[in-house]
């Protein structure tokens, strides 16, 4: 070790000088957490069909617009709602089956664009001219009305963030009961994407005299389409 | 932005500022209303008392376990993040942390910072440091932006502008934001703030954020927010710098799940906040947004002093929910600015002596009735009242006394006279014979009691011994002493 210690070495040295040699085992904590959430789920079980209702209720309570709809009917409904909302430019992944289905249903006055360029090349354009972004959630969390979104190359982070309207498609068969169930079932601990986002409603703040206001910095409106695919999945359990 | 220059306030002026705050009915009304509101919201989130207690047990166990393994977990976190392409920096104090952040900016030829909410950056006075070096650092959390415009610091760790009325904010916006009309409509005010800051996200070279929790097993920085400003800050600029107190790491990602439940419900009475933003590295190959460079600054700044002491280490269990201040009768009456510290209220009183030394903060631990409300609501069971008593002891300890973990500023309130009085007192009470003599003298010579008795007689009648002691009265009734 060199004579002059780095900040890292000094900080770790101070901590090591004080830390107990044998800390308590982690297993007991893991078990306590699992038991806590398992007991809560056992006390109020939520079959797959009821999870849709819980998801809808929680999302509506946090000011989102929610539809539960079949996998055939959603493009037409969304096209109609976009027209009513006055959306002119919609950002979506035109490479995905859902993106293509939506584009086919849209009226001519709604322009679609995909995130083909790096953000730096069109940052201002994205922030100033795009009205809505369309994403597909990896899964949902019924208890809190939460969308689990893993941005990727085709649907980057800002799609669900920069435009004032965020639209998200989530399959009913992917709805977990709570955050603990989602993290466990999807094995988050085995490896995380660079960014994973949990969205539970449109952007909001209560920073001015505890008065709730929406559209603080992120999307002012959140529309969620829950695709009812339960009959296609055995028992509907994710 | 032509914000007012930042007013620096010292914790040493606590008494004068507390008195001024008590004389300000508008301020007291603001805090009373806000704290009642937050207490009610928290209560509705915990309808099941048993569930709350079980979750508190888990929260405490997770935090205590992480602290017990802190050096190993920090190294594990560093390894994981480094492997994912994040650069990890270690800062012993605010000056080092500021210098690290400044150097990253210079290396990137960056001058414009946009900042998400970060109490650690408040602690090191980063904005001031960068502005003195020709850079701009704009707060993007709505509450933080409001206090920045006013040249103030946050008065609450979760709701920074809680002391301001909507009329105050309407005035500030109309004065400082071009083309902003005066309006007290909250929706319009938020939209004005949104417009003012939106371009700043586009223009910023560097986004700076805090960190709520870090998971050592996956190398994940977990950020909790409602506005989306934190996501914009960490997604849009080319460089993201996160800064966190080194105690915020936990062993496993799944341990954060119960902590977030405790945090959001305790802080603002929400089952969950709008966004949980989990960052585990810079943009990966093929991704078209997200920062190309991510840095994490691990900050000590006095935390290792608290860590060294078995009892005081519990201070570092804190998850920054603010419930202790929301339930504190002192905070509710004097507000956050009176403390003159980055962290006000009960948590501020127990963490600030480590950040700033006891000499600067010795009065803070005395600003408590020890009613215990802070300890009762703490979601991770920090024994705040006991820690306040301990800090009072350390502030009054002889500065020359040798102890195993001396605190910086030990004995800041030490008084030889007071210490002699206590020694006499304990001596008089320790032996029956001397106690009887003392009792005899106190009752017979009661008229010699001083009329002015330090703080007590400011608002109360002087204390004098009774003409006859309790023991004498009992004896007179024919009972055994």
């Amino acid at each position: 070790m060199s004579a002059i210690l780095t900040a890292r070495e000094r900080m770790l040295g101070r901590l090591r000088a004080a830390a107990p040699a044998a800390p308590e085992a982690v297993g007991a904590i893991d078990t306590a957490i699992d038991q806590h959430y398992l007991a809560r789920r056992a006390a109020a079980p939520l079959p797959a069909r009821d999870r849709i209702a819980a998801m809808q209720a929680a999302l509506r309570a946090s000011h989102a617009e929610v539809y539960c709809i079949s996998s055939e009917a959603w493009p037409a409904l969304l096209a109609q709602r976009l027209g009513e909302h006055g959306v002119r430019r919609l950002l979506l992944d035109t490479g995905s089956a859902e993106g293509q289905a939506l584009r086919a249903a849209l009226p001519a006055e709604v322009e679609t664009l995909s995130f083909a360029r790096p953000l730096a090349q069109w940052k201002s354009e994205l922030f100033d001219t795009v009205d809505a972004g369309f994403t597909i959630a990896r899964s949902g969390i019924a208890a809190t009305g939460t969308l689990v979104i893993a941005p990727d190359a085709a649907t980057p982070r800002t799609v669900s963030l920069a435009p004032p309207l965020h639209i998200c498609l989530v399959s009913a068969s992917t709805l977990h009961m709570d955050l603990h169930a989602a993290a466990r079932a999807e094995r988050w601990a085995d490896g995380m994407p660079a960014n994973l986002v949990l969205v539970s409603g449109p952007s909001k703040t209560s920073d001015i005299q505890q008065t709730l206001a929406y559209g603080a910095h992120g999307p002012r409106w959140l529309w969620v389409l829950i695709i009812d695919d339960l009959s296609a999945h055995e028992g509907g359990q994710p | 932005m032509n914000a007012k220059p930042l007013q620096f306030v010292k914790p040493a002026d606590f008494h004068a500022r507390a008195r001024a705050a008590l004389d300000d009915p508008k301020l007291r009304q603001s805090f009373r209303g806000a704290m009642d509101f937050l207490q009610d919201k928290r209560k509705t989130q915990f309808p099941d008392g048993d569930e709350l207690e079980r979750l508190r047990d888990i929260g405490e166990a997770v935090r205590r376990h992480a602290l017990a393994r802190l050096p190993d977990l920090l190294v594990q976190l560093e390894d994981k993040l480094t492997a994912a392409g994040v650069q990890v920096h270690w800062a012993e104090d605010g000056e080092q942390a500021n210098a690290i952040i400044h150097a990253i900016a210079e290396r990137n030829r960056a001058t414009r910072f946009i900042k998400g909410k970060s109490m650690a950056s408040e602690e090191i006075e980063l904005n001031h440091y960068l502005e003195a070096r020709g850079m701009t650092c704009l707060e993007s959390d709505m509450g933080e932006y409001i206090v920045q415009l006013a040249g103030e610091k946050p008065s609450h760790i979760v709701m920074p502008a809680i002391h301001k009325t909507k009329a105050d904010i309407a005035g500030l916006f109309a004065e400082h934001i071009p083309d902003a009309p005066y309006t007290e409509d909250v929706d319009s005010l938020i939209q004005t703030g949104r417009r003012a800051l939106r371009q700043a996200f586009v223009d910023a070279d560097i986004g700076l954020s805090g960190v709520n929790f870090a998971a050592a097993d996956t190398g994940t920085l977990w950020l909790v927010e409602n506005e989306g400003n934190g996501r914009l800050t960490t997604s849009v600029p080319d460089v993201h710098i996160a800064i966190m107190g080194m105690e915020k790491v936990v062993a496993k990602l799944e341990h954060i799940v119960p902590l977030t439940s405790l945090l959001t419900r305790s802080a603002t009475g929400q089952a969950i906040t709008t966004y949980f933003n989990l960052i585990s590295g810079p943009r990966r190959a093929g991704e078209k947004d997200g920062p190309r460079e991510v840095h994490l600054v691990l900050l000590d700044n006095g935390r290792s002093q608290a860590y060294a002491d078995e009892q005081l280490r519990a201070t570092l269990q804190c998850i920054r929910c603010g419930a202790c201040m929301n339930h504190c009768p002192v905070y509710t009456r004097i507000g956050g600015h009176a403390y003159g510290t980055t962290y006000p209220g009960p948590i501020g009183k127990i963490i600030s002596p480590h950040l700033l030394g006891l000499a600067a903060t010795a009065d803070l631990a005395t600003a408590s009735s020890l009613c215990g409300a802070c300890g009762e609501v703490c979601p991770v069971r920090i024994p705040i009242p006991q820690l306040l008593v301990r800090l009072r002891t350390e502030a009054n300890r002889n500065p020359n006394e040798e102890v195993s973990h001396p605190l910086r500023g030990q004995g800041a309130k030490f008084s030889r006279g007071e210490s002699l009085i206590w020694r006499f007192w304990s001596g008089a009470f320790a032996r029956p014979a001397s106690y009887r003599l003392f009792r005899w003298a106190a009752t017979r010579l009661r008229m010699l009691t001083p009329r002015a008795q330090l703080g007590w007689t400011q608002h109360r009648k002087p204390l004098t011994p009774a003409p006859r002691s309790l023991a004498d009265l009992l004896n007179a009734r024919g009972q055994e002493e």
Side-chain angles (χ1 to χ4, degrees), chain B residues 101-408:
Chain B
I101 293 166
H102 182 239
I104 297 169
E106 287 214 306
R107 216 166 35 244
N108 283 282
R109 298 178 202 285
T111 56
R112 290 164 300 187
F113 281 72
I114 189 92
K115 200 171 115 193
K117 192 159 164 26
S118 155
M119 291 310 290
S121 75
E122 298 285 345
E123 193 183 311
I124 63 171
E125 288 169 354
L126 174 71
N127 296 6
H128 183 72
Y129 183 96
L130 291 175
E131 274 158 23
R133 284 152 187 81
M135 300 183 176
T136 58
C137 198
L138 188 62
E139 297 286 349
S140 66
D141 173 87
M142 211 56 88
E144 293 274 356
Y145 177 61
I146 290 163
V147 292
Q148 188 179 30
L149 283 180
E152 297 171 1
K153 290 188 168 190
S155 62
H156 188 282
I157 63 170
V158 177
M159 309 199 88
I162 205 159
H163 57 291
K164 293 237 177 283
T165 63
K166 54 189 171 186
D168 294 336
I169 295 160
L172 267 177
F173 278 15
E175 184 186 346
H176 293 290
I177 301 175
D179 304 324
Y182 182 94
T183 170
E184 292 184 16
D185 177 70
V186 171
D187 258 323
S188 309
L189 286 170
I190 293 297
Q191 289 313 305
T192 301
R194 176 187 172 108
R195 273 193 301 279
L197 288 165
R198 197 148 167 92
Q199 191 60 38
F201 288 111
V202 175
D203 295 338
D205 307 307
I206 296 184
L208 193 130
S209 77
V211 176
N212 291 91
F213 305 104
D217 64 338
T218 59
T220 299
L221 309 178
W222 191 307
L223 278 63
V224 176
E225 58 145 345
N226 277 311
E227 294 183 6
N229 67 307
R231 284 185 66 204
L232 284 161
T233 297
T234 57
S235 302
V236 177
D238 245 9
V239 179
H240 168 212
I241 305 174
I243 175 167
M244 73 171 216
M246 62 177 179
E247 78 280 19
K248 289 204 169 182
V249 65
V250 297
K252 300 170 88 168
L253 188 71
E254 286 182 11
H255 289 185
I256 298 176
V257 171
L259 290 183
T260 58
S261 180
L262 285 165
L263 172 64
T264 64
R265 294 201 277 175
S266 303
T268 50
Q270 292 176 262
I272 193 169
T273 53
T274 302
Y275 300 115
F276 284 174
N277 184 9
L278 283 55
I279 298 166
S280 308
R283 121 174 20 177
R284 291 182 185 166
E287 291 185 348
K288 297 185 187 70
D289 68 8
R292 293 179 189 283
E293 243 180 61
V294 177
H295 299 262
L296 174 68
V297 180
L298 294 168
L299 181 66
D300 182 334
N301 203 28
R303 287 161 173 83
S304 51
Q305 174 178 282
Y307 189 79
D309 184 280
E310 204 180 334
Q311 184 186 24
L312 298 173
R313 185 182 289 185
T315 310
L316 303 178
Q317 283 165 220
C318 179
I319 58 170
R320 304 285 190 267
C321 69
C324 59
M325 53 194 77
N326 298 348
H327 290 76
C328 174
V330 175
Y331 177 90
T332 303
R333 282 163 180 80
I334 64 175
H337 283 153
Y339 296 83
T341 48
T342 303
Y343 305 94
I347 180 61
K349 289 187 261 191
I350 60 170
I351 185 99
S352 304
H354 304 293
L355 307 184
L356 304 167
L358 264 174
T361 57
D363 286 334
L364 299 182
T366 66
S368 168
S369 62
L370 299 181
C371 71
C374 49
E376 250 171 56
V377 296
C378 177
V380 288
R381 296 194 195 279
I382 302 173
I384 300 176
Q386 283 96 309
L387 299 186
L388 289 171
V389 172
R390 169 71 192 281
L391 289 165
R392 291 180 187 183
T393 306
E394 297 304 328
N396 287 290
R397 192 187 289 283
N398 187 326
N400 300 318
E401 187 181 332
E402 284 201 19
V403 290
S404 54
H405 301 295
L407 299 192
R408 187 155 60 100

Side-chain angles (χ1 to χ4, degrees), chain A residues 41-68:
Chain A
R41 291 200 282 271
L46 212 51
R49 177 106 358 236
D50 294 342
R51 272 180 236 166
I52 299 178
M55 181 86 178
Q56 280 181 296
L59 275 163
R60 285 194 181 121
S62 49
H63 215 70
E65 205 169 299
V66 197
Y67 304 90
C68 181

